[in-house]
Amino acid sequence: MRTYTLAIADDVLFVCLPDEADIGEAIQETTATAYGAGIELEISRGAVLTDRPEADDHVIWADGPDGELTDAEGRAYRYAVRRRA
C-alpha cells in the first residue's frame, strides 16, 4: 500500500505526493506561486488515499474545492486517511 504526504494550511491542500518524493521542493514551489512564502503548513505523512474510509480510519483530508487528491498516477480520490495497522 503506497502512502502519501500532505501539506495543508488554512484548510487548503497544497501538496499531495508519495512519501518518498521530495516534498520540500514541491512545497516551496507551490507556496511561492499559489499562496505566498512563509505560511505555516501542517505536514501529514503516511496517508492512504481512498474513496471509502474504513470505520477506524482518521480522515486527514476530504476532497473539495480547496484541494484535489490525486495519486502518483493521476487517479483522483475523495479522502486521505491515517489507517490503523
Side-chain angles (χ1 to χ4, degrees):
M1 168 174 35
R2 187 172 222 175
T3 57
Y4 288 79
T5 299
L6 282 65
I8 302 166
D10 297 332
D11 296 323
V12 175
L13 175 66
F14 284 92
V15 176
C16 177
L17 291 173
D19 280 345
E20 67 273 8
D22 182 1
I23 188 114
E25 183 178 329
I27 288 170
Q28 183 176 18
E29 180 180 316
T30 301
T31 57
T33 59
Y35 204 75
I39 63 169
E40 189 170 327
L41 294 168
E42 175 185 332
I43 307 297
S44 295
R45 297 187 186 278
V48 175
L49 304 184
T50 184
D51 285 322
R52 293 185 184 95
E54 296 176 2
D56 289 340
D57 288 347
H58 170 71
V59 176
I60 299 168
W61 185 261
D63 189 28
D66 295 323
E68 180 180 69
L69 292 167
T70 55
D71 68 7
E73 287 77 38
R75 291 182 298 252
Y77 291 87
R78 296 183 61 206
Y79 301 94
V81 301
R82 180 143 302 111
R83 188 154 281 168
R84 297 188 189 190

